[in-house]
Amino acid sequence: MSLPSQIPEGYRPLDSKTLPRYLGDIASVREVLGGQPDNWSVAEVGDGNLNLVFVVEGPSGAVCVKQALPYLRLVGDSWPLPLSRNFIESEALIVQGRHAPGLVPKVHHVEPTLALLVMELLRPHIIMRKGMIAATTYPRFAEHISTFMARTLFFTSDLAMTAGAKKERIATFCINHELCKITEDLIFTNPYYLAENNRWTSPQLDDAAAAIRADGDLKIAVSDLKVRFMSDTQALIHGDLHTGSIMVTDSDTRVIDPEFAFFGPMGFDTGALLANLLINYFSQDGHATTVSPRESYQAWVLETADTVWNRFHDKFVGLWSEHHSGDAYPDVLFTDADLVARVRRRYMRKLFGDTLSFAGAKMIRRILGLAHNIDLEHIEDPDRRAVCERRCLHLARDLLVNTATFRSIEDVTAAARAVRESVG
């Protein structure tokens, strides 16, 4: 494959030498940094799969600069990617910031030609995934992330938007089809056959990987889910909402990196978050030592999963009650309080089932697909890692194939505890 043809004239990757000169011409950025470009320090800090990320510091402050590359950084220029994802990210941050203020970084500047975004530097925040691997608790996280999901999903859905306004927003984000294609392949297809880029802990999980590739019920379930992902424009979703896309302190939570954003099924976001909490729960047995036992932390992780879903549920329903202004379930038809309550219960049950199904798919891809989680990857002993991964796969299949048996989030976390005790 060659690099994509839609690279605009004038695009060039910046570095620590050229970036200050570029930023020096932007008044809003100069105001944040203070001083002169010659006095600014620049560090390239990106450790993700897709982009260049810089921290630029001046006498008065600092910013984070993110520049898209025309290929998948994890693989190289043999895997081209559209630079338009930077526009998608900036648009998503603006929308999310409007509906969930204080829960995403502030956008200072966007430059489409360079596929470059300048935003608030989050400090002293750290990536939540890294904190959770170190068994750090975050007492405000459940409150914050449930608010973020409830507000961003509700206010971009047909419950809050007219059909015409929503279709216009869908048109803005539908250009993100190439990143959607990555999701469609890496999550819903590749783990279920011998795709070239698949990898897993081998030989320890060879049997588990083969069993999943041979599992007809699982293939049907995940393929049905893929159809939902491709066709359901329910709300503007983050598209990659996991603990590696969340930065935290003890008192603050910010969601970052929405470059996979598009109008899709809400359960993909809520499911992705649940999946990563469950992965971390199982991974703790691989990080535990006699000096740092992890059972109390595992209890916190599952309590957090319970709290996140239950608060999300209540906040979403509350928003529906207070701010319903969209074309879905019009008020002229739903004047009876009992009928409204019935519709809401039905809607939320369906969203809960979607959440569990997408969670299962996300867990499987992180163990058998291309991109893995460091929650598990940082377990050095492959035998210990494989035990944790096998437990993840066991619960994930159940979430996908037997979704209806889970009536509450407490059923899910109880099942996680049972799997930890019974699968080795």
Side-chain angles (χ1 to χ4, degrees):
M1 288 188 289
S2 59
L3 288 180
S5 59
Q6 63 269 32
I7 298 176
E9 184 177 353
Y11 172 83
R12 65 194 187 281
L14 298 178
D15 56 33
S16 58
K17 294 182 180 179
T18 57
L19 184 58
R21 293 196 295 272
Y22 169 76
L23 296 178
D25 291 331
I26 304 169
S28 60
V29 177
R30 290 200 311 271
E31 184 178 348
V32 174
L33 296 176
Q36 299 299 317
D38 290 345
N39 303 124
W40 298 343
S41 66
V42 180
E44 212 279 298
V45 298
D47 61 357
N49 296 331
L50 298 177
N51 307 290
L52 297 172
V53 182
F54 302 91
V55 170
V56 184
E57 299 190 66
S60 302
V63 296
C64 177
V65 179
K66 186 172 183 179
Q67 185 178 31
L69 294 169
Y71 51 81
L72 183 66
R73 193 179 188 187
L74 175 65
V75 176
D77 60 13
S78 64
W79 190 322
L81 285 178
L83 294 173
S84 58
R85 68 185 190 272
N86 185 269
F87 165 78
I88 291 293
E89 178 168 5
S90 61
E91 284 291 298
L93 285 172
I94 291 167
V95 173
Q96 292 164 350
R98 181 164 63 248
H99 295 310
L103 294 174
V104 297
K106 178 182 177 181
V107 174
H108 294 305
H109 178 75
V110 179
E111 176 47 66
T113 299
L114 294 177
L116 182 139
L117 171 63
V118 185
M119 59 191 140
E120 175 185 6
L121 177 66
L122 300 176
R123 181 179 286 173
H125 300 65
I126 69 166
I127 295 294
M128 187 176 181
R129 188 186 307 287
K130 295 180 180 179
M132 291 187 72
I133 291 171
T136 304
T137 59
Y138 296 101
R140 299 287 294 159
F141 169 71
E143 179 67 24
H144 291 161
I145 200 64
S146 59
T147 296
F148 172 84
M149 294 191 301
R151 293 187 65 84
T152 58
L153 296 176
F154 175 82
F155 283 113
T156 60
S157 76
D158 293 297
L159 298 170
M161 301 182 73
T162 64
K166 182 166 175 255
K167 286 178 173 64
E168 290 179 358
R169 296 305 288 162
I170 291 172
T172 298
F173 285 89
C174 71
I175 64 171
N176 210 18
H177 56 87
E178 291 189 56
L179 264 67
C180 288
K181 175 64 172 171
I182 290 175
T183 299
E184 291 153 15
D185 289 344
L186 296 189
I187 296 178
F188 302 110
T189 303
N190 290 10
Y192 303 91
Y193 80 104
L194 283 174
E196 179 181 358
N197 291 318
N198 285 356
R199 62 188 181 90
W200 57 84
T201 303
S202 181
Q204 289 87 347
L205 288 186
D206 287 356
D207 62 330
I212 281 178
R213 294 195 301 272
D215 192 328
D217 290 339
L218 190 55
K219 288 178 180 179
I220 291 172
V222 79
S223 296
D224 286 344
L225 207 57
K226 181 177 180 177
V227 172
R228 288 287 314 285
F229 182 85
M230 294 189 296
S231 61
D232 189 344
T233 58
Q234 197 172 25
L236 177 63
I237 66 173
H238 179 283
D240 200 25
L241 187 60
H242 52 71
T243 52
S245 296
I246 300 169
M247 297 191 72
V248 287
T249 68
D250 286 346
S251 59
D252 194 37
T253 304
R254 305 292 187 95
V255 177
I256 62 171
D257 294 349
E259 59 198 339
F260 281 81
F262 79 112
F263 274 78
M266 296 180 187
F268 189 76
D269 272 5
T270 52
L273 184 68
L274 176 61
N276 279 263
L277 293 175
L278 292 171
I279 288 172
N280 182 269
Y281 167 77
F282 288 119
S283 76
Q284 293 298 333
D285 288 314
H287 299 293
T289 66
T290 54
V291 177
S292 178
R294 300 296 180 100
E295 288 197 350
S296 62
Y297 189 74
Q298 288 172 300
W300 178 83
V301 173
L302 293 189
E303 288 167 8
T304 297
D306 290 343
T307 303
V308 167
W309 172 260
N310 288 328
R311 290 187 184 176
F312 165 77
H313 174 283
D314 292 347
K315 290 173 183 179
F316 191 96
V317 172
L319 290 170
W320 190 340
S321 176
E322 296 174 18
H323 298 286
H324 179 266
S325 56
D327 288 340
Y329 306 104
D331 293 338
V332 292
L333 297 185
F334 293 90
T335 57
D336 179 81
D338 290 340
L339 187 61
V340 171
R342 182 173 151 198
V343 163
R344 290 175 183 164
R345 285 195 299 271
R346 180 174 174 271
Y347 190 100
M348 297 309 292
R349 280 198 301 269
K350 182 67 170 66
L351 179 51
F352 181 64
D354 290 348
T355 297
L356 302 191
S357 297
F358 283 116
K362 293 283 282 186
M363 292 170 74
I364 291 171
R365 70 77 54 105
R366 291 298 186 184
I367 296 167
L368 303 181
L370 170 64
H372 290 206
N373 278 13
I374 61 172
D375 307 62
L376 295 163
E377 292 287 278
H378 281 193
I379 301 171
E380 294 184 3
D381 183 338
D383 291 330
R384 293 184 72 184
R385 182 170 66 248
V387 169
C388 300
E389 292 171 329
R390 193 177 293 275
R391 291 168 179 168
C392 286
L393 293 173
H394 185 95
L395 180 59
R397 185 193 184 278
D398 214 16
L399 293 175
L400 264 166
V401 175
N402 301 310
T403 311
T405 63
F406 299 94
R407 304 298 296 173
S408 69
I409 188 63
E410 289 78 12
D411 287 348
V412 176
T413 51
R417 293 185 186 93
V419 167
R420 179 173 173 256
E421 293 298 324
S422 62
V423 176

